[in-house]
Structure formats: C-alpha cells, structure tokens
Amino acid sequence: MPGFILRRALLVLPSLFGLLVVCFLLIRLIPADPAVALAGDNATPAQIEAIRRSYGLDQPLPVQFGRYLMDVARLDFGTSQFSGRAVAEDLAQRLPATLELTVAALLLGVGLGIPLGVLAAVHHNRWPDFLLRVVSVAGIAVAAFWLAIMLQMLFAMRLGWLPLRGQISAGVTPPAGPTGFLTLDCLLAGRLDLLADALRHLVLPAVTLSLGGLATITRFTRAGVLDTLQKDFVTYERAVGYPRGRLIWLYVLRNSVVATVTQIGLLFGGLMAGAVVVESIYDWPGIGSYTVQAILTADSKVMLAVTLLIGLIYAVVNILTDLVHALIDPRLRETR
Amino acid sequence: MKGMTSMEITRRGGAAMALATLMAAAPRARAATPGLMVRSDGQPQNLDPHQVFDVPMMGYALNTYDGLLRYQGSPPTLEPWLAVDHTASEDGLDWAFRLRPGVAFHDGSPLTASDVVYSFRRVLALGKAPASAFLPILKPENVTAPDPLTVRFRLDRPYGPFRAAIPIVAIVNERMVRANERGNDWGAAWLAANEAGSGAYAFVPGSLTPNERLDLQRHEGHFLGWADNPSPVARIAMRTARETSTGVLGLMNGSIDFTDSYLPTDQVEQIQSSRIARVERHSSLRTFVIRMNNARAPFDNVNFRKAMAHAFNYDGFIREILKGYADRNPGPMPNPLWGAPKDAAGYAYDLGKARDFLRAAQAEGVNLRQPIRIHIQSQLEQTNQAAQLFQSDLQSLGVNLRIVSDTWANIVTATGSAETAPDMWIHWVSTYFVDPENWVGQMYDSRFHGTWKASSYYRNAEVDALLARARGLVRQEDRAPLYEEATRRVMADCADIWVYNTVELRGVSNRLANYRFCPVGSGAEMRWLRLKG
C-alpha cells in the first residue's frame, strides 16, 4: 500500500507541471494586459509601460515562465497585482472557507444521496423510485444560480429562517482561530453562539452546492444497489431469512458503492468548480469569488495559483478515492 | 429503517434537535451591534489610495483619508478641507496651501505639511493611477514645506486643472508609512492592507478580507468634529455583494443598509414600495458614450459617423430601458458642468437622416457592407442592451453590426493603439476630478492617444490647440469658452455617440437619514449620515 501511494503521488508532479504549462500559455493568450488593468483608469502609456517593466511582463514568455517556476518551487506564488498582497496569504485566508463549503456540500450529498439511492433501488419501479428519479434529474438539470435565488427568496426573505448572504453576521467579529476554518475556530474558541451563526450562514450555500452531487450520488447508488440485489448471495441470504434491513445496509450497500465512491472523488473537484457560482451569489469569501475577480482583472498570478491549488486538491482526492476503493474491496488491494 | 435501533434514532434525532436549537439561538448582528450599518457597494482592490483610483476607492478613501480640498454637493464645489485657504501666482506656476492647525491622524499624531509633501511625492514615485494628473507637470522636489502649516507647489508649466485634481491625493501619515517601507516600495505592500489616514472613519485592523469584508470605526477626533451629527454611524461593515439581486434582497430584508449606486431601474419600484428602504436618485456627472474608432474605416468618414449618431434611439433607450432614470446628454461634457456649450443640440434619432448620411458616405467610397463590431462589457448588462437596440436599427439601414462580449481588461488593453482598438465600444466616463479636462480634454486631445479615454483616436489640430490653451490657463472664466469651442468642434465632427448623463440610483435603508450626494464618490461619504432609532 505505501508503494502504491508513493507511485500515485509521484505521478501527480508531472500532471501538475503540465497543468501549469497549459494554464500559463492560456493566460498569456488572453488579450488583456495586466499592466493596463493595474495602472488604473487614467494611466498614460508611459505609466503602463513602467508597470509592465516592474512586473517583468516585458520579458520573453520562457523567461517569465522560468522565473515563475522557480518562485513556485519556493512556494512563492507572487503578489496579487490587485490586492497588493501575497497570493499565498490571500489563498490561505480564503481556502478554508471554500473547503468548509465544499465539505459541507459533500457531506450533504453523500449523507442524503446514498440512503435515497438505496431507498429508490429497494422500491424499484414504485412511487418512491419514480419520485426520486424525477427529483434527481431535476437536481442535475437545475442551474445553481436559479436555485440559489429561489432558496434566498424562500428561506431568507419569506420565512426569514436563514441569512441571505455572507459567512457570518456583519456585526460579529469572527474568532482569529488557528485553523482558518470558521466553524472549527468558533468551536475551539468555545463560542457556540458564533458557531451557530456560522452554521446558519452555511446552510443555503451548502444546500445549493450539494444538489447536483446529491442527485448524482443517488442515481449511482440506486444503480449499484439494483445490480447487487440481483446477485446470488442476496437471494440466498433472503432465502435463509436474514433480516432485510441488515442485509441491505450492511452487505448489499457495501458491494454497491465502488462506483459511487469514484463519483464522490470526481464530485469533490466538481463541487470546488461549482463553488465559483455559489460563492458569488452568496458572497461567500472563498477562492471561487477570488478567482472570478482575478479573471475579470487579468490577475495572472492569482489565476495560476488557484489552478495549481485546485489541481493539487483534485489529485489528492483521487489518491484518497483509490485508497477508499481498496478498503472497501479487498480484491483491489491484492491486484495492486 | 429497520436496521436502526430506537436508541440510535433517539441519539441522532437528539443531535439534530440540538443543532437546530443552536442555530435558532444564533445572535442577530444588528441587535448585538448598536450604531452598525452595512454597505454592500464593494471595496477597492487594495487599501492604498495612492495605488488605486476608481469609484470603490473613492467610497473607501473619502471616509478614511482627508485631502487638502474636498468636493461637496451636486453639482460639486471645491471646499476647504485640510487646507483652510490657498493662493496661485498670476502665471499659474506657484501654488501655496495653508493647512488647518490641530488635525490629528488616527494614531493621534499631528498632521503637518511634511505629511502632505510625503503624500504627493509618494503618488509621483509610485506612478499609478492617481499620478496621471500630476506626472506631466509636477516634479517631486517641487513640492515643499517651508513651515509645518504651509505646502508649496511649483509646476513645470501652467496647468488649469491642477486645483481640481488636488482632492485626488489622500494625505497619509508619513511616520506610519515610512516605518513600514520595504526597500524602495514607499510602504506600498503595507498600505495595501492597512490604513494611515485622518478621515472621519478608521479602518479596524484585522477586519480585512480583500474584496469581501472590511470594517470602519468612527474616528471621534476627526478635525470636523461631530457636533453637527447627533447620531452618526458608529461602525461601518463593508460587505461586497457581487450580485445585484443579493444586494437588493439584503436591503429589503434589512441585512444591508446601503447598496451601490447603479441599481437596475427595474428594481427601483420594488424598493420604493417597501417600508424599510428607499432609492436615492441624483443626477451625476457620469456620461454614457458609444466610442467609434475614427482612425479606421468606415469610421474615418464623418458622414458615416453622423449616420451612426442618427441611428441610435436615444429617447427609446432612456425611456424604455432605463425607465427615464437618465438625462439625455448630447455632447461629451456632462450637461451641468461648466465648459459644456449650452447651445449645442447634438444628434437626434432620425433614420431618414441616417440614410442620407450613409448615401453620402457611400458616394465618398465607404463600403457599407463591411461588418462592424461593437464590444460590450459582459458584466454590465446595460452595454448589451444599448448594443442590441443599436443593432436592430442599423439592420434596417443595411449596416451589419456584430456584438462582441468582452471584459474591461481586454478592451482597455486593445485601446492601446488605433490598430487594435475596437470599431466601437461602450463605457461610462466617471468623475475623477470635476474639470472639463476629465471629459473633453482627455477624450479628444490627440496627446492622450493610447489611453482608453482617448480610444476614438480623434485628431483635430484646432481642437488640440484649444485644449492646450485651456489647460494652460488658471481662471475658470478664461478656460470655459475654450472648452466650449473645443466641444462644439468635436460634436460637429461627430467623434463619438454621446447618449446620457447618469442618474445614480442607490438603495438606502430608512434607518439612515441625511444622505448627501456628491458626484465625486457617488454619495459614499458616510460622516453626514444619521442613524435613526
């Protein structure tokens, strides 16, 4: 197993390098000149040229890329051309918010999607199955921004149960905790009132972000369970009178979720990408909204760093997915 | 769920109930924080007023920093601020400003002429956006402080807009910024995330997540005092709302008190009918213009340009799309500003005249079948609406207009040369300083070619000469006729299509009274606001 992990980890490096090369070239293909955007509204051509020189943007592409690679090797992602702060500092401040949202959405998707998938399979071609199929198709089809606005209208405006936007109430000073994860830091600081406030703010963005994943997991689990229910061992266990609940939740489910686990791994990357829209609508202070701003202002250092970061997270999640596969199915361990 | 025991159900149900109770008991910020108001109108990209100069920065810097002079009211007038008075020599080269005594920065240290000198030198050294008004006419060594309460400027040549541009420069605390300089950066890295001002509100350290959240606290020691305001806002929470819909919903449910000033017109009625908020409407100095690349065919033909100007449905756009919340502005200068010729009628929507001018252009060799492209700013729906309306009328004239969705950064880069500048594009010209130079001066003098403001690449030696003369005079009464004449000529040449002067629409909670609007900063100066209840 350690050899397997090492092999997979080493494979990540060339993938990330390739990602960096492609992104660097793509960003340079965008006609926007960051020096122009940086110089501001009333800048003269001479001012723009001076800024271009000071950021090394007048150098040939290979030189710019070489310098960037050397900086990245030292974990220096440069300075955001707009916030004027180190990109690493901005990311460290924002990444926990995105991870918090993504993990919450994933937990919702998995926590509800797997039981619902089992429910649909067990009631195959009966009304719960029909209902869940309709709901899951709708869940995949519905646009996140539309759903977000509908949820805001219902739960924040009409019912007033949940906050409209943001990560915590405006008049509240969040604890400067050690992890950067707001909910965790509130907990560590013993501030249950702030934890509750943060959780209330998390609900709508997490539900919005989770819906597509929830639908996917439901459908994959349903298909997996349906397939397993046809297996001989299930027929045998049923024949000997093994309790139906235990049979389904312990044995059938375990034999059905390999494909679902793969989906969960893929889903994590999808949720990080989906967070761009959700964060913008709910004003969630994560890397999604940061990336949108960077694209609009041609802030290339930020775009590259975010791409690299998401690529890295995606790679790590894929390795973890493979490990979970191996834990679920001992045969996979043996073949590796 | 047969597999779950009743104890498990009880345990899980209990946990869920505890969580729900915890969430229901969460504090309500408004109740917990007296004197708080929430703004959703965006933050500057970074907090250094010498690096960034745009509308969000004005909304921040007008509250945290002071300048020598300040624009107040609408139409705006220059008022004494840190400087109690100033003088200019007859030739317009020497300027002296006498400072108000007893002004203190947020850290309690006194504001002196040395801070003013440092601030101007810093702007010139950083060379970013606010510097453009001063770089051509002011050398750092020519800003001096003969005594702690006097600042002198010696200009390289007379420059009429100098006084109007003075409020651009925020005065920073020299001692604080110097203490945080790294190499030759003039403290740029530090001030991008900190504050060193003397304004009515002070930045709350640790409250910044760039472009997301930022808190300001009332500065009780502000030089103006607070006697005129019995219930000022104590704390300002700046929370950027990226989606207009979120900002408006926040205003309607009381979680936001102050939106940006570009509300979509279809939201106005909804807000006005609510009991908790209103829309503040004020004529601004922000013109909406459709640029034409005069250096490229077919726009290098004046008859073709005039055909375009007659083909835009000004009234339809203002009445139907903007619901009347704009004032027709037929020239490049905002109607209320001095230097705008009152006798210039401009161009009217008339497809018959447009056809006549197209025929004239065709007779002069213009290829009318050539497709032309108009670039819109994808994030600003109004630019798309204007382009679509235009496209529909031009189609009836046989002109093929293609709409290209683009970003500000891309377009501005392209405007760097006449060859790469778009055929047409749409933008607003905001009030950076209240002087005709901000509009007709920087848009149509060929010396500014290469900047986005001069992106129509209009060239007329007589206009250049008029603008250069106006720039070299000091007295407004001497300069005004020159700007008026230059504007008339630019309009006669139909360099661009000038559409309207903005009516700014800002959603404001009814908790806030005494809102004061000034086009410079779009009414975002908070010290005048009174909090009810």
Side-chain angles (χ1 to χ4, degrees):
Chain A
M1 184 67 77
F4 164 72
I5 296 172
L6 188 66
R7 274 198 309 278
R8 294 302 309 267
L10 286 175
L11 274 176
V12 167
L13 290 177
S15 306
L16 290 180
F17 180 77
L19 182 68
L20 210 54
V21 172
V22 170
C23 286
F24 191 86
L25 292 175
L26 281 177
I27 286 168
R28 287 302 182 273
L29 283 178
I30 298 171
D33 180 349
V36 174
L38 185 63
D41 280 357
N42 285 301
T44 61
Q47 280 177 278
I48 294 167
E49 193 48 44
I51 288 167
R52 199 175 283 130
R53 270 198 307 277
S54 73
Y55 282 86
L57 296 167
D58 58 337
Q59 298 294 315
L61 266 191
V63 175
Q64 289 187 41
F65 186 61
R67 284 180 181 170
Y68 184 70
L69 270 188
M70 283 165 62
D71 288 343
V72 168
R74 293 195 303 267
L75 292 181
D76 175 4
F77 296 97
T79 303
S80 161
Q81 289 149 357
F82 287 88
S83 75
R85 305 201 320 166
V87 174
E89 192 184 341
D90 280 349
L91 288 177
Q93 191 175 23
R94 288 166 176 274
L95 183 62
T98 296
L99 287 178
E100 208 163 47
L101 174 60
T102 308
V103 169
L106 193 67
L107 289 175
L108 271 177
V110 173
L112 291 175
I114 290 178
L116 289 176
V118 172
L119 193 69
V122 169
H123 297 280
H124 181 50
N125 281 342
R126 280 178 279 162
W127 72 265
D129 186 27
F130 290 133
L131 181 67
L132 285 168
R133 276 153 71 181
V134 170
V135 170
S136 61
V137 168
I140 291 169
V142 75
F145 71 86
W146 179 86
L147 177 69
I149 292 171
M150 292 301 111
L151 291 175
Q152 284 178 322
M153 292 298 292
L154 179 63
F155 291 102
M157 301 303 291
R158 185 165 288 275
L159 300 172
W161 290 354
L162 292 166
L164 182 73
R165 56 183 291 282
Q167 197 186 15
I168 197 160
S169 292
V172 172
T173 304
T179 70
F181 291 87
L182 182 60
T183 48
L184 206 53
D185 287 338
C186 290
L187 202 59
L188 291 173
R191 293 295 305 270
L192 291 183
D193 55 336
L194 296 189
L195 173 65
D197 189 57
L199 287 173
R200 291 179 72 241
H201 282 79
L202 183 59
V203 173
L204 290 185
V207 168
T208 307
L209 187 58
S210 73
L211 197 67
L214 169 66
T216 304
I217 291 172
T218 303
R219 290 173 68 83
F220 269 83
T221 308
R222 175 185 173 276
V225 171
L226 272 180
D227 187 47
T228 310
L229 284 173
Q230 311 303 318
K231 298 274 169 68
D232 289 346
F233 83 90
V234 178
T235 311
Y236 173 77
E237 295 292 355
R238 274 181 178 162
V240 298
Y242 197 80
R244 182 178 155 83
R246 287 182 71 84
L247 175 65
I248 288 171
W249 292 103
L250 284 183
Y251 298 107
V252 172
L253 183 59
R254 186 170 177 178
N255 281 279
S256 312
V257 291
V258 173
T260 307
V261 168
T262 307
Q263 278 306 311
I264 292 169
L266 293 171
L267 198 60
F268 194 83
L271 289 175
M272 297 259 323
V276 171
V277 174
V278 173
E279 286 183 3
S280 290
I281 296 171
Y282 288 104
D283 299 325
W284 193 262
I287 58 170
S289 48
Y290 185 55
T291 310
V292 170
Q293 192 64 27
I295 292 168
L296 290 173
T297 52
D299 198 342
S300 55
K301 293 273 173 64
V302 173
M303 285 190 268
L304 282 167
V306 169
T307 309
L308 195 64
L309 182 70
I310 291 180
L312 183 66
I313 291 172
Y314 206 74
V316 169
V317 169
N318 271 300
I319 294 174
L320 289 176
T321 305
D322 285 349
L323 286 175
V324 173
H325 274 164
L327 290 174
I328 294 171
D329 189 343
R331 290 170 303 178
L332 293 175
R333 262 174 281 174
E334 285 157 18
T335 56
R336 285 163 181 164
Chain B
M1 209 180 282
K2 288 178 182 174
M4 197 183 283
T5 65
S6 59
M7 187 170 284
E8 281 174 316
I9 292 171
T10 308
R11 200 170 60 228
R12 292 184 192 188
M17 280 179 66
L19 187 63
T21 309
L22 186 69
M23 286 166 65
R28 297 298 190 268
R30 181 61 45 71
T33 317
L36 175 78
M37 71 162 282
V38 183
R39 289 174 62 173
S40 67
D41 56 339
Q43 296 176 16
Q45 291 284 353
N46 77 52
L47 303 188
D48 186 346
H50 297 169
Q51 291 188 52
V52 181
F53 182 54
D54 55 13
V55 174
M57 174 51 83
M58 301 290 271
Y60 166 76
L62 283 174
N63 295 295
T64 47
Y65 289 89
D66 293 311
L68 292 177
L69 306 171
R70 179 159 292 192
Y71 286 107
Q72 297 282 282
S74 183
T77 53
L78 264 181
E79 304 287 338
W81 205 252
L82 290 177
V84 284
D85 56 38
H86 64 278
T87 56
S89 63
E90 200 57 33
D91 59 7
L93 289 176
D94 293 293
W95 295 73
F97 291 79
R98 197 161 57 88
L99 297 187
R100 187 185 296 271
V103 177
F105 283 111
H106 294 148
D107 69 346
S109 60
L111 188 154
T112 68
S114 175
D115 296 295
V116 179
V117 171
Y118 178 78
S119 299
F120 274 85
R121 288 181 177 175
R122 187 172 185 271
V123 165
L124 293 167
L126 291 175
K128 293 194 176 166
S132 61
F134 303 100
L135 278 171
I137 45 101
L138 184 61
K139 291 191 174 62
E141 61 271 23
N142 290 340
V143 189
T144 53
D147 66 64
L149 290 179
T150 307
V151 183
R152 287 208 176 123
F153 298 87
R154 168 86 183 167
L155 308 187
D156 297 347
R157 56 179 179 276
Y159 184 60
F162 179 69
R163 181 172 170 270
I166 283 288
I168 289 175
V169 178
I171 306 307
V172 301
N173 183 332
E174 179 185 5
R175 190 186 55 78
M176 279 182 84
V177 179
R178 272 195 195 281
N180 290 284
E181 287 179 355
R182 299 283 176 271
N184 295 323
D185 83 338
W186 288 81
W190 179 78
L191 202 56
N194 290 280
E195 179 253 298
S198 60
Y201 288 87
F203 166 63
V204 177
S207 68
L208 174 71
T209 302
N211 222 15
E212 302 284 354
R213 65 186 300 271
L214 164 66
D215 287 358
L216 304 178
Q217 187 75 38
R218 186 164 68 94
H219 172 44
E220 291 194 20
H222 188 245
F223 75 85
L224 275 184
W226 296 90
D228 62 324
N229 190 347
S231 53
V233 172
R235 193 175 175 107
I236 301 167
M238 296 176 77
R239 301 289 183 270
T240 306
R242 284 191 179 71
E243 297 295 324
T244 303
S245 62
T246 311
V248 171
L249 290 177
L251 188 70
M252 306 281 280
N253 83 350
S255 59
I256 287 172
D257 297 305
F258 201 81
T259 70
D260 64 36
S261 62
Y262 311 120
L263 284 176
T265 50
D266 56 356
Q267 307 276 356
V268 172
E269 224 167 272
Q270 188 192 358
I271 295 171
Q272 288 292 59
S273 64
S274 79
R275 288 183 185 167
I276 67 167
R278 65 187 185 279
V279 175
E280 290 282 353
R281 308 172 218 194
H282 298 272
S283 279
S284 187
L285 298 175
R286 189 170 184 258
T287 50
F288 184 85
V289 55
I290 302 174
R291 306 308 291 264
M292 296 187 276
N293 187 341
N294 289 211
R296 185 191 298 160
F299 298 99
D300 55 355
N301 182 287
V302 67
N303 286 317
F304 187 83
R305 294 200 300 269
K306 286 183 178 176
M308 295 291 105
H310 280 299
F312 189 79
N313 188 348
Y314 305 95
D315 289 342
F317 184 62
I318 291 171
R319 198 178 53 244
E320 301 302 330
I321 294 175
L322 303 181
K323 313 282 185 205
Y325 293 118
D327 301 322
R328 173 81 178 103
N329 201 96
M333 300 269 284
N335 294 333
L337 189 67
W338 64 272
K342 306 299 173 210
D343 54 351
Y347 297 85
Y349 175 58
D350 185 334
L351 292 180
K353 278 189 181 173
R355 262 190 208 94
D356 293 341
F357 279 114
L358 281 179
R359 276 192 214 103
Q362 197 168 24
E364 290 167 0
V366 171
N367 174 14
L368 299 183
R369 295 201 168 277
Q370 172 184 351
I372 53 179
R373 289 176 181 77
I374 186 165
H375 288 238
I376 60 163
Q377 298 180 57
S378 54
Q379 276 205 309
L380 300 169
E381 179 57 19
Q382 210 183 105
T383 62
N384 187 27
Q385 291 168 324
Q388 286 184 351
L389 182 70
F390 203 19
Q391 186 183 44
S392 147
D393 279 313
L394 287 179
Q395 199 168 21
S396 71
L397 296 172
V399 175
N400 180 3
L401 181 71
R402 295 180 184 170
I403 299 173
V404 181
S405 188
D406 215 332
T407 64
W408 171 259
N410 284 352
I411 298 173
V412 168
T413 301
T415 58
S417 77
E419 290 72 34
T420 54
D423 292 337
M424 307 180 90
W425 71 292
I426 307 177
H427 65 84
W428 288 263
V429 182
S430 297
T431 313
Y432 299 100
F433 55 100
V434 186
D435 190 281
E437 186 68 9
N438 185 60
W439 287 274
V440 70
Q442 294 184 343
M443 290 169 78
Y444 300 109
D445 188 330
S446 62
R447 67 183 289 187
F448 291 103
H449 285 180
T451 67
W452 69 266
K453 261 194 183 176
S455 58
S456 43
Y457 286 91
Y458 170 77
R459 189 181 291 278
N460 181 328
E462 289 172 351
V463 170
D464 286 354
L466 283 165
L467 293 173
R469 274 178 59 205
R471 208 173 281 130
L473 299 171
V474 175
R475 293 190 315 171
Q476 183 175 317
E477 55 271 33
D478 297 334
R479 298 174 66 213
L482 297 169
Y483 283 118
E484 286 175 19
E485 185 52 28
T487 305
R488 277 191 205 97
R489 293 188 189 203
V490 171
M491 290 175 71
D493 287 339
C494 195
D496 284 316
I497 301 170
W498 305 283
V499 182
Y500 70 78
N501 184 32
T502 305
V503 172
E504 293 199 30
L505 302 167
R506 189 190 290 277
V508 179
S509 161
N510 287 339
R511 298 170 64 234
L512 297 169
N514 202 37
Y515 175 80
R516 286 195 193 179
F517 179 80
C518 175
V520 180
S522 298
E525 195 178 354
M526 303 281 116
R527 80 162 316 283
W528 315 113
L529 287 174
R530 291 177 189 167
L531 208 47
K532 293 183 193 167

